[in-house]
Amino acid sequence: MIEGLLPPGVASSEAFDDAAPAPLFPAEAALLAGRRERRRRQFATARACARRCLADLGHAPVPLLPGPGGAPAWPPGVVGSITHCDGYRAAVADHRTHTSALGIDAEPAGPLPPGVLGLITSPAERAHLATLTEAHPDIFWERIFFSAKEAAYKAWYPSTGIWLGFRQATLTLSPTGTFTCVLHPPPHAPPANPHYEGRWLSTSTLVLTAVHREG
Ligand SMILES: CC(C)(COP(=O)(O)OP(=O)(O)OC[C@H]1O[C@@H](n2cnc3c(N)ncnc32)[C@H](O)[C@@H]1OP(=O)(O)O)[C@@H](O)C(=O)NCCC(=O)NCCS
């Protein structure tokens, strides 16, 4: 499914359970010591997806350890992103020469928990959501909003190292399956293009979003 949200040539791999064997490198396994079994399996399956992406790009399997801020440290010359939620794990990656920014996010389909919408949107965005909901009441627009901002953050963070809150992003969604996310970084942030383009997909069980910028 995630493949359809990204341009041809971007490597992608996804899984809907943790059934397939997903061995970890010792350094990865050490990170998970003491963590719950659910997190271990989710992490391992997503790492297996990531290593399938690396293989597609001609890279040998390597440990993918979290760097500062939690972003996975991909091998030099590779940009990528990982996501997992109940019933879904995925990774995407590409050569930096082709892709300069990549972010994906998966969420369970359904409304956001009470109180969350006001924390992640501006009044103008809530008006935009109301318009979308009126026209297409069967789509979980709020959940797509949440996911798209997270995908944009995952594309932004590795090149800047700057954390941004949900209100530091302005999202515009199109019912045709695309979105634009404009970030509002603080003045001390390194110079970086704050405009991200992405695509979204909503099924009966999942919301998926992906942000991609060419290299
Ligand atoms: C980091 C964050 C986006 C992860 O999203 P999530 O829905 O909680 O979890 P997901 O399963 O989709 O993604 C987790 C994966 O994201 C990746 N990730 C974590 N931090 C990251 C970062 N700073 N940059 C890029 N990728 C990151 C990791 O690969 C992680 O999986 P792993 O720990 O198994 O390696 C979220 O926890 C967060 O901190 N959000 C606040 C910032 C934000 O989203 N702002 C929005 C406006 S810009």
Side-chain angles (χ1 to χ4, degrees), residues 39 43 46-47 68-72 81-85 104-107 146 149-150 152-155 157-158 163-166 168-169 183:
R39 167 64 173 151
F43 180 98
R47 262 27 187 201
S81 185
I82 291 173
T83 188
H84 24 57
C85 73
I104 59 168
D105 189 73
E107 293 284 323
F146 184 84
K149 287 193 178 187
E150 289 205 319
Y153 176 73
K154 290 183 190 177
Y157 185 89
W163 186 87
L164 295 175
F166 285 86
Q168 289 171 282
L183 305 182

PDB file of all heavy atoms in Angstrom, residues 39 43 46-47 68-72 81-85 104-107 146 149-150 152-155 157-158 163-166 168-169 183, ligand 1:
ATOM      1  N   ARG A  39       6.657  -4.446  21.552  1.00  0.00           N
ATOM      2  CA  ARG A  39       7.582  -3.465  20.983  1.00  0.00           C
ATOM      3  C   ARG A  39       8.749  -4.159  20.281  1.00  0.00           C
ATOM      4  O   ARG A  39       9.188  -3.754  19.212  1.00  0.00           O
ATOM      5  CB  ARG A  39       8.090  -2.544  22.101  1.00  0.00           C
ATOM      6  CG  ARG A  39       9.287  -1.672  21.746  1.00  0.00           C
ATOM      7  CD  ARG A  39       8.982  -0.661  20.639  1.00  0.00           C
ATOM      8  NE  ARG A  39      10.088   0.254  20.432  1.00  0.00           N
ATOM      9  CZ  ARG A  39      10.378   0.835  19.279  1.00  0.00           C
ATOM     10  NH1 ARG A  39       9.640   0.603  18.215  1.00  0.00           N
ATOM     11  NH2 ARG A  39      11.394   1.652  19.173  1.00  0.00           N
ATOM     12  N   PHE A  43       9.400  -3.656  16.378  1.00  0.00           N
ATOM     13  CA  PHE A  43      10.698  -3.097  15.999  1.00  0.00           C
ATOM     14  C   PHE A  43      11.397  -4.028  15.010  1.00  0.00           C
ATOM     15  O   PHE A  43      11.931  -3.602  13.983  1.00  0.00           O
ATOM     16  CB  PHE A  43      11.543  -2.911  17.265  1.00  0.00           C
ATOM     17  CG  PHE A  43      12.914  -2.342  17.053  1.00  0.00           C
ATOM     18  CD1 PHE A  43      13.163  -0.990  17.234  1.00  0.00           C
ATOM     19  CD2 PHE A  43      13.982  -3.163  16.693  1.00  0.00           C
ATOM     20  CE1 PHE A  43      14.439  -0.458  17.059  1.00  0.00           C
ATOM     21  CE2 PHE A  43      15.255  -2.644  16.511  1.00  0.00           C
ATOM     22  CZ  PHE A  43      15.487  -1.294  16.703  1.00  0.00           C
ATOM     23  N   ALA A  46       9.747  -4.140  11.540  1.00  0.00           N
ATOM     24  CA  ALA A  46      10.028  -2.904  10.801  1.00  0.00           C
ATOM     25  C   ALA A  46      11.486  -2.869  10.340  1.00  0.00           C
ATOM     26  O   ALA A  46      11.787  -2.396   9.235  1.00  0.00           O
ATOM     27  CB  ALA A  46       9.709  -1.690  11.663  1.00  0.00           C
ATOM     28  N   ARG A  47      12.415  -3.378  11.183  1.00  0.00           N
ATOM     29  CA  ARG A  47      13.831  -3.449  10.759  1.00  0.00           C
ATOM     30  C   ARG A  47      13.981  -4.391   9.571  1.00  0.00           C
ATOM     31  O   ARG A  47      14.779  -4.137   8.666  1.00  0.00           O
ATOM     32  CB  ARG A  47      14.706  -3.922  11.911  1.00  0.00           C
ATOM     33  CG  ARG A  47      15.458  -2.869  12.740  1.00  0.00           C
ATOM     34  CD  ARG A  47      14.839  -1.602  12.776  1.00  0.00           C
ATOM     35  NE  ARG A  47      15.571  -0.523  13.417  1.00  0.00           N
ATOM     36  CZ  ARG A  47      14.971   0.562  13.879  1.00  0.00           C
ATOM     37  NH1 ARG A  47      13.656   0.692  13.782  1.00  0.00           N
ATOM     38  NH2 ARG A  47      15.658   1.545  14.392  1.00  0.00           N
ATOM     39  N   PRO A  68      20.101  10.700  17.271  1.00  0.00           N
ATOM     40  CA  PRO A  68      19.506  11.719  18.138  1.00  0.00           C
ATOM     41  C   PRO A  68      18.051  11.959  17.742  1.00  0.00           C
ATOM     42  O   PRO A  68      17.711  11.959  16.561  1.00  0.00           O
ATOM     43  CB  PRO A  68      20.347  12.964  17.846  1.00  0.00           C
ATOM     44  CG  PRO A  68      21.582  12.478  17.172  1.00  0.00           C
ATOM     45  CD  PRO A  68      21.262  11.181  16.521  1.00  0.00           C
ATOM     46  N   GLY A  69      17.198  12.125  18.732  1.00  0.00           N
ATOM     47  CA  GLY A  69      15.801  12.421  18.441  1.00  0.00           C
ATOM     48  C   GLY A  69      14.999  11.225  17.997  1.00  0.00           C
ATOM     49  O   GLY A  69      13.822  11.358  17.663  1.00  0.00           O
ATOM     50  N   GLY A  70      15.631  10.030  17.965  1.00  0.00           N
ATOM     51  CA  GLY A  70      14.894   8.821  17.615  1.00  0.00           C
ATOM     52  C   GLY A  70      14.901   8.456  16.150  1.00  0.00           C
ATOM     53  O   GLY A  70      14.421   7.387  15.769  1.00  0.00           O
ATOM     54  N   ALA A  71      15.432   9.335  15.293  1.00  0.00           N
ATOM     55  CA  ALA A  71      15.448   9.029  13.861  1.00  0.00           C
ATOM     56  C   ALA A  71      16.454   7.922  13.577  1.00  0.00           C
ATOM     57  O   ALA A  71      17.579   7.974  14.074  1.00  0.00           O
ATOM     58  CB  ALA A  71      15.823  10.277  13.069  1.00  0.00           C
ATOM     59  N   PRO A  72      16.076   6.911  12.801  1.00  0.00           N
ATOM     60  CA  PRO A  72      17.020   5.833  12.523  1.00  0.00           C
ATOM     61  C   PRO A  72      18.214   6.336  11.720  1.00  0.00           C
ATOM     62  O   PRO A  72      18.052   7.181  10.840  1.00  0.00           O
ATOM     63  CB  PRO A  72      16.195   4.826  11.713  1.00  0.00           C
ATOM     64  CG  PRO A  72      14.907   5.459  11.393  1.00  0.00           C
ATOM     65  CD  PRO A  72      14.779   6.739  12.151  1.00  0.00           C
ATOM     66  N   SER A  81      12.638   6.061   6.036  1.00  0.00           N
ATOM     67  CA  SER A  81      11.681   6.318   7.111  1.00  0.00           C
ATOM     68  C   SER A  81      11.007   5.005   7.502  1.00  0.00           C
ATOM     69  O   SER A  81      10.858   4.095   6.676  1.00  0.00           O
ATOM     70  CB  SER A  81      10.654   7.355   6.654  1.00  0.00           C
ATOM     71  OG  SER A  81       9.775   7.705   7.701  1.00  0.00           O
ATOM     72  N   ILE A  82      10.603   4.944   8.763  1.00  0.00           N
ATOM     73  CA  ILE A  82       9.987   3.736   9.328  1.00  0.00           C
ATOM     74  C   ILE A  82       8.700   4.131  10.048  1.00  0.00           C
ATOM     75  O   ILE A  82       8.644   5.196  10.668  1.00  0.00           O
ATOM     76  CB  ILE A  82      10.969   3.067  10.331  1.00  0.00           C
ATOM     77  CG1 ILE A  82      12.167   2.467   9.584  1.00  0.00           C
ATOM     78  CG2 ILE A  82      10.276   2.007  11.179  1.00  0.00           C
ATOM     79  CD1 ILE A  82      13.267   1.946  10.503  1.00  0.00           C
ATOM     80  N   THR A  83       7.699   3.251   9.981  1.00  0.00           N
ATOM     81  CA  THR A  83       6.493   3.459  10.793  1.00  0.00           C
ATOM     82  C   THR A  83       5.942   2.115  11.244  1.00  0.00           C
ATOM     83  O   THR A  83       6.201   1.083  10.616  1.00  0.00           O
ATOM     84  CB  THR A  83       5.414   4.241  10.018  1.00  0.00           C
ATOM     85  OG1 THR A  83       4.343   4.583  10.914  1.00  0.00           O
ATOM     86  CG2 THR A  83       4.835   3.432   8.867  1.00  0.00           C
ATOM     87  N   HIS A  84       5.218   2.135  12.367  1.00  0.00           N
ATOM     88  CA  HIS A  84       4.484   0.941  12.800  1.00  0.00           C
ATOM     89  C   HIS A  84       3.287   1.362  13.636  1.00  0.00           C
ATOM     90  O   HIS A  84       3.346   2.338  14.387  1.00  0.00           O
ATOM     91  CB  HIS A  84       5.341  -0.044  13.579  1.00  0.00           C
ATOM     92  CG  HIS A  84       6.551   0.519  14.254  1.00  0.00           C
ATOM     93  ND1 HIS A  84       6.505   1.543  15.160  1.00  0.00           N
ATOM     94  CD2 HIS A  84       7.856   0.207  14.132  1.00  0.00           C
ATOM     95  CE1 HIS A  84       7.717   1.810  15.580  1.00  0.00           C
ATOM     96  NE2 HIS A  84       8.572   1.030  14.970  1.00  0.00           N
ATOM     97  N   CYS A  85       2.207   0.631  13.445  1.00  0.00           N
ATOM     98  CA  CYS A  85       1.037   0.790  14.305  1.00  0.00           C
ATOM     99  C   CYS A  85       0.341  -0.557  14.339  1.00  0.00           C
ATOM    100  O   CYS A  85       0.774  -1.493  13.662  1.00  0.00           O
ATOM    101  CB  CYS A  85       0.105   1.896  13.797  1.00  0.00           C
ATOM    102  SG  CYS A  85      -0.823   1.468  12.321  1.00  0.00           S
ATOM    103  N   ILE A 104       7.262   8.658   6.402  1.00  0.00           N
ATOM    104  CA  ILE A 104       5.997   7.912   6.299  1.00  0.00           C
ATOM    105  C   ILE A 104       5.397   7.755   7.687  1.00  0.00           C
ATOM    106  O   ILE A 104       6.100   7.760   8.697  1.00  0.00           O
ATOM    107  CB  ILE A 104       6.169   6.517   5.648  1.00  0.00           C
ATOM    108  CG1 ILE A 104       7.148   5.635   6.450  1.00  0.00           C
ATOM    109  CG2 ILE A 104       6.589   6.642   4.209  1.00  0.00           C
ATOM    110  CD1 ILE A 104       7.134   4.160   6.018  1.00  0.00           C
ATOM    111  N   ASP A 105       4.080   7.619   7.709  1.00  0.00           N
ATOM    112  CA  ASP A 105       3.399   7.396   8.987  1.00  0.00           C
ATOM    113  C   ASP A 105       2.154   6.550   8.761  1.00  0.00           C
ATOM    114  O   ASP A 105       1.453   6.720   7.761  1.00  0.00           O
ATOM    115  CB  ASP A 105       3.013   8.726   9.637  1.00  0.00           C
ATOM    116  CG  ASP A 105       2.514   8.506  11.052  1.00  0.00           C
ATOM    117  OD1 ASP A 105       3.361   8.208  11.924  1.00  0.00           O
ATOM    118  OD2 ASP A 105       1.298   8.583  11.284  1.00  0.00           O
ATOM    119  N   ALA A 106       1.893   5.664   9.705  1.00  0.00           N
ATOM    120  CA  ALA A 106       0.684   4.827   9.677  1.00  0.00           C
ATOM    121  C   ALA A 106      -0.067   5.003  10.985  1.00  0.00           C
ATOM    122  O   ALA A 106       0.543   5.107  12.049  1.00  0.00           O
ATOM    123  CB  ALA A 106       1.069   3.360   9.497  1.00  0.00           C
ATOM    124  N   GLU A 107      -1.369   5.040  10.879  1.00  0.00           N
ATOM    125  CA  GLU A 107      -2.236   5.189  12.054  1.00  0.00           C
ATOM    126  C   GLU A 107      -3.419   4.249  11.880  1.00  0.00           C
ATOM    127  O   GLU A 107      -3.857   4.005  10.757  1.00  0.00           O
ATOM    128  CB  GLU A 107      -2.793   6.624  12.124  1.00  0.00           C
ATOM    129  CG  GLU A 107      -1.758   7.682  12.404  1.00  0.00           C
ATOM    130  CD  GLU A 107      -1.336   7.702  13.860  1.00  0.00           C
ATOM    131  OE1 GLU A 107      -2.188   7.480  14.732  1.00  0.00           O
ATOM    132  OE2 GLU A 107      -0.145   7.917  14.109  1.00  0.00           O
ATOM    133  N   PHE A 146      -3.329  14.233  11.565  1.00  0.00           N
ATOM    134  CA  PHE A 146      -2.327  13.834  12.557  1.00  0.00           C
ATOM    135  C   PHE A 146      -1.173  13.093  11.876  1.00  0.00           C
ATOM    136  O   PHE A 146       0.009  13.411  12.065  1.00  0.00           O
ATOM    137  CB  PHE A 146      -3.011  12.942  13.598  1.00  0.00           C
ATOM    138  CG  PHE A 146      -2.126  12.523  14.726  1.00  0.00           C
ATOM    139  CD1 PHE A 146      -1.936  13.344  15.827  1.00  0.00           C
ATOM    140  CD2 PHE A 146      -1.490  11.285  14.706  1.00  0.00           C
ATOM    141  CE1 PHE A 146      -1.120  12.954  16.885  1.00  0.00           C
ATOM    142  CE2 PHE A 146      -0.672  10.890  15.752  1.00  0.00           C
ATOM    143  CZ  PHE A 146      -0.492  11.725  16.842  1.00  0.00           C
ATOM    144  N   LYS A 149       1.096  15.240   9.477  1.00  0.00           N
ATOM    145  CA  LYS A 149       2.060  16.092  10.187  1.00  0.00           C
ATOM    146  C   LYS A 149       3.215  15.255  10.728  1.00  0.00           C
ATOM    147  O   LYS A 149       4.366  15.698  10.725  1.00  0.00           O
ATOM    148  CB  LYS A 149       1.361  16.875  11.302  1.00  0.00           C
ATOM    149  CG  LYS A 149       0.481  18.002  10.773  1.00  0.00           C
ATOM    150  CD  LYS A 149       0.044  18.962  11.877  1.00  0.00           C
ATOM    151  CE  LYS A 149      -0.790  20.117  11.300  1.00  0.00           C
ATOM    152  NZ  LYS A 149      -1.077  21.150  12.317  1.00  0.00           N
ATOM    153  N   GLU A 150       2.933  14.052  11.177  1.00  0.00           N
ATOM    154  CA  GLU A 150       4.024  13.197  11.655  1.00  0.00           C
ATOM    155  C   GLU A 150       4.940  12.785  10.495  1.00  0.00           C
ATOM    156  O   GLU A 150       6.167  12.741  10.655  1.00  0.00           O
ATOM    157  CB  GLU A 150       3.464  11.963  12.368  1.00  0.00           C
ATOM    158  CG  GLU A 150       2.848  12.320  13.714  1.00  0.00           C
ATOM    159  CD  GLU A 150       2.828  11.181  14.715  1.00  0.00           C
ATOM    160  OE1 GLU A 150       2.532  10.041  14.308  1.00  0.00           O
ATOM    161  OE2 GLU A 150       3.100  11.444  15.909  1.00  0.00           O
ATOM    162  N   ALA A 152       5.529  14.510   7.816  1.00  0.00           N
ATOM    163  CA  ALA A 152       6.339  15.687   7.472  1.00  0.00           C
ATOM    164  C   ALA A 152       7.465  15.879   8.493  1.00  0.00           C
ATOM    165  O   ALA A 152       8.602  16.196   8.135  1.00  0.00           O
ATOM    166  CB  ALA A 152       5.455  16.930   7.410  1.00  0.00           C
ATOM    167  N   TYR A 153       7.139  15.647   9.755  1.00  0.00           N
ATOM    168  CA  TYR A 153       8.167  15.773  10.802  1.00  0.00           C
ATOM    169  C   TYR A 153       9.292  14.767  10.574  1.00  0.00           C
ATOM    170  O   TYR A 153      10.476  15.095  10.709  1.00  0.00           O
ATOM    171  CB  TYR A 153       7.534  15.545  12.174  1.00  0.00           C
ATOM    172  CG  TYR A 153       8.526  15.568  13.301  1.00  0.00           C
ATOM    173  CD1 TYR A 153       9.102  16.760  13.725  1.00  0.00           C
ATOM    174  CD2 TYR A 153       8.911  14.389  13.937  1.00  0.00           C
ATOM    175  CE1 TYR A 153      10.027  16.773  14.765  1.00  0.00           C
ATOM    176  CE2 TYR A 153       9.832  14.401  14.975  1.00  0.00           C
ATOM    177  CZ  TYR A 153      10.384  15.591  15.385  1.00  0.00           C
ATOM    178  OH  TYR A 153      11.306  15.611  16.400  1.00  0.00           O
ATOM    179  N   LYS A 154       8.940  13.537  10.220  1.00  0.00           N
ATOM    180  CA  LYS A 154       9.973  12.524   9.988  1.00  0.00           C
ATOM    181  C   LYS A 154      10.843  12.868   8.779  1.00  0.00           C
ATOM    182  O   LYS A 154      12.001  12.463   8.712  1.00  0.00           O
ATOM    183  CB  LYS A 154       9.334  11.147   9.795  1.00  0.00           C
ATOM    184  CG  LYS A 154       8.717  10.578  11.056  1.00  0.00           C
ATOM    185  CD  LYS A 154       8.176   9.191  10.759  1.00  0.00           C
ATOM    186  CE  LYS A 154       7.331   8.658  11.887  1.00  0.00           C
ATOM    187  NZ  LYS A 154       6.751   7.346  11.566  1.00  0.00           N
ATOM    188  N   ALA A 155      10.273  13.584   7.809  1.00  0.00           N
ATOM    189  CA  ALA A 155      11.074  14.019   6.658  1.00  0.00           C
ATOM    190  C   ALA A 155      11.966  15.203   7.031  1.00  0.00           C
ATOM    191  O   ALA A 155      13.070  15.348   6.524  1.00  0.00           O
ATOM    192  CB  ALA A 155      10.146  14.402   5.502  1.00  0.00           C
ATOM    193  N   TYR A 157      13.067  16.196  10.308  1.00  0.00           N
ATOM    194  CA  TYR A 157      13.981  16.105  11.450  1.00  0.00           C
ATOM    195  C   TYR A 157      15.402  15.639  11.085  1.00  0.00           C
ATOM    196  O   TYR A 157      16.382  16.237  11.554  1.00  0.00           O
ATOM    197  CB  TYR A 157      13.389  15.196  12.540  1.00  0.00           C
ATOM    198  CG  TYR A 157      14.260  15.178  13.761  1.00  0.00           C
ATOM    199  CD1 TYR A 157      14.091  16.116  14.776  1.00  0.00           C
ATOM    200  CD2 TYR A 157      15.305  14.262  13.885  1.00  0.00           C
ATOM    201  CE1 TYR A 157      14.928  16.129  15.883  1.00  0.00           C
ATOM    202  CE2 TYR A 157      16.142  14.273  14.989  1.00  0.00           C
ATOM    203  CZ  TYR A 157      15.945  15.200  15.975  1.00  0.00           C
ATOM    204  OH  TYR A 157      16.780  15.220  17.059  1.00  0.00           O
ATOM    205  N   PRO A 158      15.558  14.582  10.274  1.00  0.00           N
ATOM    206  CA  PRO A 158      16.915  14.078  10.047  1.00  0.00           C
ATOM    207  C   PRO A 158      17.873  15.118   9.459  1.00  0.00           C
ATOM    208  O   PRO A 158      19.067  15.055   9.695  1.00  0.00           O
ATOM    209  CB  PRO A 158      16.698  12.910   9.068  1.00  0.00           C
ATOM    210  CG  PRO A 158      15.316  12.450   9.370  1.00  0.00           C
ATOM    211  CD  PRO A 158      14.546  13.712   9.664  1.00  0.00           C
ATOM    212  N   TRP A 163      13.193  19.650  16.773  1.00  0.00           N
ATOM    213  CA  TRP A 163      11.857  19.157  17.112  1.00  0.00           C
ATOM    214  C   TRP A 163      10.830  20.251  16.813  1.00  0.00           C
ATOM    215  O   TRP A 163      11.068  21.436  17.093  1.00  0.00           O
ATOM    216  CB  TRP A 163      11.804  18.794  18.590  1.00  0.00           C
ATOM    217  CG  TRP A 163      10.503  18.150  18.980  1.00  0.00           C
ATOM    218  CD1 TRP A 163      10.202  16.831  18.911  1.00  0.00           C
ATOM    219  CD2 TRP A 163       9.336  18.818  19.483  1.00  0.00           C
ATOM    220  NE1 TRP A 163       8.913  16.623  19.329  1.00  0.00           N
ATOM    221  CE2 TRP A 163       8.359  17.832  19.689  1.00  0.00           C
ATOM    222  CE3 TRP A 163       9.029  20.148  19.761  1.00  0.00           C
ATOM    223  CZ2 TRP A 163       7.092  18.122  20.166  1.00  0.00           C
ATOM    224  CZ3 TRP A 163       7.761  20.445  20.231  1.00  0.00           C
ATOM    225  CH2 TRP A 163       6.810  19.441  20.438  1.00  0.00           C
ATOM    226  N   LEU A 164       9.709  19.870  16.269  1.00  0.00           N
ATOM    227  CA  LEU A 164       8.608  20.811  16.004  1.00  0.00           C
ATOM    228  C   LEU A 164       7.318  20.233  16.562  1.00  0.00           C
ATOM    229  O   LEU A 164       7.047  19.035  16.391  1.00  0.00           O
ATOM    230  CB  LEU A 164       8.425  21.034  14.498  1.00  0.00           C
ATOM    231  CG  LEU A 164       9.567  21.707  13.734  1.00  0.00           C
ATOM    232  CD1 LEU A 164       9.242  21.722  12.243  1.00  0.00           C
ATOM    233  CD2 LEU A 164       9.815  23.119  14.243  1.00  0.00           C
ATOM    234  N   GLY A 165       6.509  21.063  17.179  1.00  0.00           N
ATOM    235  CA  GLY A 165       5.198  20.635  17.641  1.00  0.00           C
ATOM    236  C   GLY A 165       4.185  20.663  16.500  1.00  0.00           C
ATOM    237  O   GLY A 165       4.436  21.243  15.439  1.00  0.00           O
ATOM    238  N   PHE A 166       3.030  20.052  16.747  1.00  0.00           N
ATOM    239  CA  PHE A 166       2.011  19.964  15.689  1.00  0.00           C
ATOM    240  C   PHE A 166       1.495  21.332  15.270  1.00  0.00           C
ATOM    241  O   PHE A 166       1.068  21.522  14.132  1.00  0.00           O
ATOM    242  CB  PHE A 166       0.850  19.088  16.162  1.00  0.00           C
ATOM    243  CG  PHE A 166       1.181  17.628  16.164  1.00  0.00           C
ATOM    244  CD1 PHE A 166       1.808  17.035  17.241  1.00  0.00           C
ATOM    245  CD2 PHE A 166       0.879  16.838  15.061  1.00  0.00           C
ATOM    246  CE1 PHE A 166       2.118  15.685  17.245  1.00  0.00           C
ATOM    247  CE2 PHE A 166       1.184  15.487  15.037  1.00  0.00           C
ATOM    248  CZ  PHE A 166       1.818  14.913  16.146  1.00  0.00           C
ATOM    249  N   GLN A 168       3.285  23.844  14.897  1.00  0.00           N
ATOM    250  CA  GLN A 168       4.323  24.477  14.071  1.00  0.00           C
ATOM    251  C   GLN A 168       4.303  23.912  12.648  1.00  0.00           C
ATOM    252  O   GLN A 168       5.332  23.871  11.968  1.00  0.00           O
ATOM    253  CB  GLN A 168       5.706  24.291  14.706  1.00  0.00           C
ATOM    254  CG  GLN A 168       5.883  25.112  15.965  1.00  0.00           C
ATOM    255  CD  GLN A 168       7.170  24.747  16.683  1.00  0.00           C
ATOM    256  OE1 GLN A 168       7.250  23.733  17.366  1.00  0.00           O
ATOM    257  NE2 GLN A 168       8.178  25.570  16.513  1.00  0.00           N
ATOM    258  N   ALA A 169       3.159  23.452  12.241  1.00  0.00           N
ATOM    259  CA  ALA A 169       2.974  22.919  10.895  1.00  0.00           C
ATOM    260  C   ALA A 169       1.570  23.280  10.437  1.00  0.00           C
ATOM    261  O   ALA A 169       0.619  23.160  11.206  1.00  0.00           O
ATOM    262  CB  ALA A 169       3.139  21.407  10.902  1.00  0.00           C
ATOM    263  N   LEU A 183       6.022  23.905   7.334  1.00  0.00           N
ATOM    264  CA  LEU A 183       6.515  23.931   8.707  1.00  0.00           C
ATOM    265  C   LEU A 183       6.919  25.348   9.099  1.00  0.00           C
ATOM    266  O   LEU A 183       7.301  26.153   8.243  1.00  0.00           O
ATOM    267  CB  LEU A 183       7.702  22.976   8.854  1.00  0.00           C
ATOM    268  CG  LEU A 183       7.425  21.533   8.412  1.00  0.00           C
ATOM    269  CD1 LEU A 183       8.653  20.667   8.645  1.00  0.00           C
ATOM    270  CD2 LEU A 183       6.223  20.961   9.135  1.00  0.00           C
TER     271      LEU A 183
HETATM  272  C1  LIG B   1       8.652  10.749  16.155  1.00  0.00           C
HETATM  273  C2  LIG B   1       7.165  10.580  15.909  1.00  0.00           C
HETATM  274  C3  LIG B   1       6.771  11.381  14.673  1.00  0.00           C
HETATM  275  C4  LIG B   1       6.910   9.061  15.642  1.00  0.00           C
HETATM  276  O1  LIG B   1       5.585   8.836  15.228  1.00  0.00           O
HETATM  277  P1  LIG B   1       4.668   7.725  15.923  1.00  0.00           P
HETATM  278  O2  LIG B   1       3.326   7.778  15.261  1.00  0.00           O
HETATM  279  O3  LIG B   1       4.741   7.904  17.406  1.00  0.00           O
HETATM  280  O4  LIG B   1       5.329   6.320  15.629  1.00  0.00           O
HETATM  281  P2  LIG B   1       5.605   5.553  14.244  1.00  0.00           P
HETATM  282  O5  LIG B   1       5.561   4.117  14.543  1.00  0.00           O
HETATM  283  O6  LIG B   1       4.805   6.052  13.111  1.00  0.00           O
HETATM  284  O7  LIG B   1       7.115   5.954  13.957  1.00  0.00           O
HETATM  285  C5  LIG B   1       8.120   5.519  14.814  1.00  0.00           C
HETATM  286  C6  LIG B   1       9.391   5.506  14.009  1.00  0.00           C
HETATM  287  O8  LIG B   1       9.686   6.821  13.571  1.00  0.00           O
HETATM  288  C7  LIG B   1      11.083   6.951  13.473  1.00  0.00           C
HETATM  289  N1  LIG B   1      11.451   8.178  14.180  1.00  0.00           N
HETATM  290  C8  LIG B   1      11.438   8.392  15.513  1.00  0.00           C
HETATM  291  N2  LIG B   1      11.851   9.652  15.762  1.00  0.00           N
HETATM  292  C9  LIG B   1      12.113  10.224  14.566  1.00  0.00           C
HETATM  293  C10 LIG B   1      12.584  11.497  14.169  1.00  0.00           C
HETATM  294  N3  LIG B   1      12.883  12.455  15.067  1.00  0.00           N
HETATM  295  N4  LIG B   1      12.750  11.749  12.852  1.00  0.00           N
HETATM  296  C11 LIG B   1      12.479  10.802  11.937  1.00  0.00           C
HETATM  297  N5  LIG B   1      12.032   9.567  12.244  1.00  0.00           N
HETATM  298  C12 LIG B   1      11.855   9.288  13.552  1.00  0.00           C
HETATM  299  C13 LIG B   1      11.711   5.714  14.103  1.00  0.00           C
HETATM  300  O9  LIG B   1      12.149   4.874  13.067  1.00  0.00           O
HETATM  301  C14 LIG B   1      10.560   5.088  14.853  1.00  0.00           C
HETATM  302  O10 LIG B   1      10.566   3.694  14.877  1.00  0.00           O
HETATM  303  P3  LIG B   1      11.685   2.862  15.696  1.00  0.00           P
HETATM  304  O11 LIG B   1      11.767   3.503  17.039  1.00  0.00           O
HETATM  305  O12 LIG B   1      11.168   1.480  15.705  1.00  0.00           O
HETATM  306  O13 LIG B   1      12.949   3.039  14.895  1.00  0.00           O
HETATM  307  C15 LIG B   1       6.281  11.037  17.105  1.00  0.00           C
HETATM  308  O14 LIG B   1       6.460  10.175  18.200  1.00  0.00           O
HETATM  309  C16 LIG B   1       6.624  12.441  17.579  1.00  0.00           C
HETATM  310  O15 LIG B   1       7.524  12.655  18.377  1.00  0.00           O
HETATM  311  N6  LIG B   1       5.857  13.464  17.124  1.00  0.00           N
HETATM  312  C17 LIG B   1       6.027  14.831  17.605  1.00  0.00           C
HETATM  313  C18 LIG B   1       6.607  15.718  16.547  1.00  0.00           C
HETATM  314  C19 LIG B   1       5.656  15.863  15.393  1.00  0.00           C
HETATM  315  O16 LIG B   1       5.150  14.895  14.877  1.00  0.00           O
HETATM  316  N7  LIG B   1       5.379  17.100  14.966  1.00  0.00           N
HETATM  317  C20 LIG B   1       4.424  17.309  13.903  1.00  0.00           C
HETATM  318  C21 LIG B   1       4.541  18.680  13.282  1.00  0.00           C
HETATM  319  S1  LIG B   1       6.062  18.912  12.409  1.00  0.00           S
END
